[in-house]
Amino acid sequence: MDSPALGGPLGERVPDVARIAVLRANALGDLIFLLPALESLRAAYPTAEIVLFGAPWHATLWRDRPGPVDRVLVVPPAPGIREPGPDEPPGSLDDFLADAAREGYDLALQVHGGGANSNPVMSRLGARVTAGLRAEDAPPLDRWLRYVYYQPEVTRYLEVVALVGAGAVTVVPTLAVTDADRAQARAVLGEPDRPRVALHPGASDTRRRWPARRFAEVARTLHDDGYEVLVTGTPAERAVVDEVVAAAGVPVRPQVGTLSLGGLAAAYAGCALVVSNDTGPLHLAGAVGTPTVGVYWVGNMINGATPLRGRHRPIAAWTTRCPVCGVDCTPGIYPHRPGDGNCPHRDSFVADVPVVEVLEAAADLLHPGPGAVTAPDRPRP
């Protein structure tokens, strides 16, 4: 291997690569973390077709969207690969892999997790070179990197593509916003008559949710400061959005299921700020160039928070014991420490973050002082 690069030790580039498979079939934030690695892969193999092995929503998102993904193949639901979506018909993973193998892949990259289930999937494509992550219980690939849980996700995937000679060209996730995205956001939201901000109070893991009443206080303060406040959420998060709206006591605009993912990206791109729990929409907002304030559990902050501070303020909650039963929830990945770190409770681990910290961070981004450098991480879309 060559000398270390930004994304880790640089492996030999594979010659004559025409088609690359990349397995990443999980959630929105997971895809955003992968974007710098995909850009780096594109730079290293500019003429190769990059095929993302993903979920149905990946195919919808990447349809007619400029970027490093040329095509999406929807992987059937399978254990350790992805869960089926609502009303999704079952599919055969064996048939899918047989059909995919006939396409002829030169590289197959596993950036989906530790590899116990995903490494065998990528190995069955018959690619000339396989590369990716490997936990201790996972079979090897031709070139692999040990999966260690606590690592910034963006860096993790940059290290993987570096195994096949794709040195890092950026550490900033970037997602293009299309004209169709903007048209949908405009049709749903209208033209703003004052600056917009957005709050996203949901998260699939309820332990990552900052209390709704605190989001409501932020909404009230920003509204009183002259901002139009959107409160976004998925259909599964409708209850927490309704709670924020009711507690705010001022006019705010709930947006639950009104926008596609592309439309949401455009809506965030038109905002002066997004305040959110550590969840996909927070990372989406950053990827379209919008300043963010994110509320993180400290362990998730290690993996998911951007290291950039020009436009972003991640705020850490330092709770490590379950607020209900007091179990230390950190030892789970450290087998030599006492306890297994598990408990059945799903109460918030970020409730100790005070409202004033979020408001101060928001004010710092919305109203920077004289001489503050506020240029975006990249040009706004």
Side-chain angles (χ1 to χ4, degrees), residues 2 17 32 38 46 49-50 56 67 81 85 89 134 154 166 172 177 179 187 198 216 219 258 276 292 336 341 360:
D2 298 331
V17 169
I32 300 297
L38 291 172
E49 182 187 34
I50 298 178
I81 304 300
R134 183 191 181 194
V154 167
V172 179
V177 178
D179 289 341
T258 60
S276 174
T292 66
H336 304 296
E360 286 177 349

Side-chain angles (χ1 to χ4, degrees), residues 180-190 196 259 262-268:
D181 297 335
R182 295 186 187 93
Q184 186 194 77
R186 190 163 50 247
V188 171
L189 300 174
R196 275 181 182 149
L259 294 161
L264 183 65
Y268 285 161

Side-chain angles (χ1 to χ4, degrees), residues 8-381:
L10 200 61
E12 292 183 3
R13 196 167 298 181
V14 179
D16 303 320
V17 169
R19 184 167 288 131
I20 303 171
V22 180
L23 175 62
R24 186 70 167 161
N26 27 29
L28 173 59
D30 302 308
L31 174 67
I32 300 297
F33 297 144
L34 180 64
L35 292 174
L38 291 172
E39 296 284 359
S40 302
L41 198 62
R42 166 60 67 220
Y45 298 95
T47 62
E49 182 187 34
I50 298 178
V51 182
L52 178 66
F53 283 40
W57 72 264
H58 291 99
T60 302
L61 179 66
W62 283 109
R63 188 177 300 128
D64 301 322
R65 186 175 306 277
V69 173
D70 296 304
R71 182 163 54 99
V72 174
L73 279 184
V74 176
V75 184
I81 304 300
R82 71 175 185 88
E83 296 293 323
D87 303 319
E88 183 178 2
S92 167
L93 184 61
D94 290 337
D95 291 345
F96 169 84
L97 291 173
D99 290 341
R102 284 191 283 270
E103 293 191 351
Y105 288 91
D106 300 292
L107 297 180
L109 303 183
Q110 190 281 103
V111 285
H112 188 72
N117 296 290
S118 48
N119 284 1
V121 167
M122 299 314 278
S123 295
R124 289 174 61 184
L125 291 177
R128 288 193 287 132
V129 175
T130 60
L133 299 163
R134 183 191 181 194
E136 291 186 2
D137 61 346
L141 301 166
D142 296 324
R143 305 178 188 182
W144 55 272
L145 175 74
R146 179 64 71 195
Y147 180 87
V148 179
Y149 181 77
Y150 280 123
Q151 179 184 13
E153 298 290 335
V154 167
T155 305
R156 190 193 308 278
Y157 309 122
L158 286 172
E159 282 199 291
V160 170
V161 297
L163 294 173
V164 294
V169 299
T170 182
V171 296
V172 179
T174 301
L175 186 74
V177 178
T178 68
D179 289 341
D181 297 335
R182 295 186 187 93
Q184 186 194 77
R186 190 163 50 247
V188 171
L189 300 174
E191 294 291 350
D193 57 7
R194 51 188 169 144
R196 275 181 182 149
V197 296
L199 311 183
H200 190 90
S204 57
D205 186 343
T206 55
R207 294 172 299 179
R208 298 187 185 191
R209 290 187 181 183
W210 200 44
R213 66 184 182 277
R214 299 191 187 178
F215 273 105
E217 188 171 341
V218 172
R220 188 161 52 249
T221 300
L222 292 175
H223 171 272
D224 292 347
D225 285 346
Y227 292 92
E228 178 186 33
V229 181
L230 309 179
V231 185
T232 60
T234 66
E237 295 164 344
R238 183 178 298 277
V240 70
V241 169
D242 290 345
E243 187 177 353
V244 172
V245 171
V250 294
V252 298
R253 298 185 64 184
Q255 301 297 316
V256 178
T258 60
L259 294 161
S260 68
L261 193 52
L264 183 65
Y268 285 161
C271 287
L273 180 72
V274 171
V275 180
S276 174
N277 297 314
D278 168 29
T279 187
L282 173 67
H283 309 299
L284 176 66
V288 299
T290 301
T292 66
V293 176
V295 178
Y296 289 83
W297 178 64
V298 62
N300 298 132
M301 187 165 174
I302 294 170
N303 284 36
T306 174
L308 304 174
R309 294 296 175 270
R311 283 289 180 107
H312 306 291
R313 299 290 188 275
I315 300 176
W318 296 89
T319 299
T320 59
R321 292 185 176 274
C322 172
V324 177
C325 67
V327 166
D328 184 348
C329 291
T330 59
I333 63 170
Y334 299 113
H336 304 296
R337 300 186 189 187
D340 61 8
N342 292 318
C343 77
H345 305 109
R346 289 297 179 266
D347 291 59
S348 175
F349 267 58
V350 297
D352 60 324
V353 172
V355 172
V356 64
E357 290 184 8
V358 172
L359 290 176
E360 286 177 349
D364 190 36
L365 292 169
L366 291 168
H367 310 291
V373 178
T374 58
D377 308 324
R378 57 179 178 77
R380 290 292 296 272

